[in-house]
Amino acid sequence: FTQAYLACVTAVDENIGQVIEAVDKSRFKDNTIVIFTSDHGWNMGEKDFLFKNSLWEESARIPFIIRAPKVAQEGMVAEHPISLIDLYPTLVDLCSLEGDNRKNDKGIRLSGFSIRPFLEDPKNGEWQGPNSALTMVYAGPHTGWDPSLQHWTIRSKDWRYIRYNNGEEELYKHD
């Protein structure tokens, strides 16, 4: 299992490298934004748990890598938690797009915040978004889609709080 998982990770790394190399060799190098992200991760035996669908760090955390020429500092890491909901506003900002995501006035604007401040200054960016990221894990078909019956976690820079639908709680300090 572990060997197969690590082979998949290696294959993804190699493919990302091929994409970046192709962009670097093209005339679009200086105006092409590359984003790599995925769904949540896997537990690889931590706490005797395999696979996905846990609220622990290994499963709830996702890769979110952006290469934005003339904006992002190469090789820098922002430690502030963000959410996938921030992807759309980030692309709108980086691409200088205008307009509205709604078809008509009955629609609701998409949420999220541009992560440009973290691309420009990963350590001190002036972020307009929340100080934490919220994650929900579906607790099964018996719960329907009732939010109060799902499992939830909230992750700040240093802490992760988990609340299961049975009322059990866990708190982790990550520093």
Side-chain angles (χ1 to χ4, degrees), residues 6-21:
L6 294 176
C8 288
V9 170
T10 300
V12 169
D13 285 348
E14 289 175 4
N15 285 311
I16 293 169
Q18 289 178 18
V19 169
I20 297 298
E21 185 177 341

Side-chain angles (χ1 to χ4, degrees), residues 1 4-5 9 11 13 19 21-22 38 41 43 51 58 60-62 66 69 84 96 130 133 137 141 170:
F1 174 82
Y5 180 81
V9 170
D13 285 348
V19 169
E21 185 177 341
S38 75
N43 283 82
F51 309 118
E58 297 81 9
R61 191 172 181 173
I62 63 163
I66 297 182
L84 285 176
S96 300
V137 171
E170 297 175 12

Side-chain angles (χ1 to χ4, degrees), residues 54-57 59-61 79-83 127 129-137 150-164 168-174:
S54 84
L55 294 170
W56 300 314
E57 188 74 3
S59 282
R61 191 172 181 173
E79 296 179 4
H80 192 287
I82 58 170
S83 299
W127 170 248
N131 290 328
S132 56
L134 186 65
T135 302
M136 186 269 306
V137 171
Q150 310 310 321
H151 307 302
W152 293 89
T153 184
I154 190 161
R155 174 68 153 96
S156 69
K157 181 177 175 281
D158 297 322
W159 295 89
R160 177 177 294 281
Y161 168 73
I162 298 171
R163 185 172 193 290
Y164 297 98
E168 290 183 17
E169 300 168 298
E170 297 175 12
L171 181 64
Y172 297 91
K173 188 167 184 182
H174 285 279

Side-chain angles (χ1 to χ4, degrees), residues 100-108:
D100 198 334
N101 61 276
R102 301 174 297 168
K103 183 176 179 179
N104 57 44
D105 290 340
K106 295 179 183 179
I108 297 174

Side-chain angles (χ1 to χ4, degrees), residues 64-83:
F64 197 101
I65 302 168
I66 297 182
R67 176 184 160 166
K70 301 176 186 166
V71 177
Q73 296 183 26
E74 188 174 328
M76 299 299 292
V77 175
E79 296 179 4
H80 192 287
I82 58 170
S83 299

Side-chain angles (χ1 to χ4, degrees), residues 98-130:
E98 295 180 10
D100 198 334
N101 61 276
R102 301 174 297 168
K103 183 176 179 179
N104 57 44
D105 290 340
K106 295 179 183 179
I108 297 174
R109 291 185 191 275
L110 292 177
S111 298
F113 296 86
S114 173
I115 67 163
R116 178 190 282 264
F118 295 133
L119 297 175
E120 295 174 338
D121 186 355
K123 302 294 179 200
N124 302 305
E126 292 293 322
W127 170 248
Q128 299 299 312

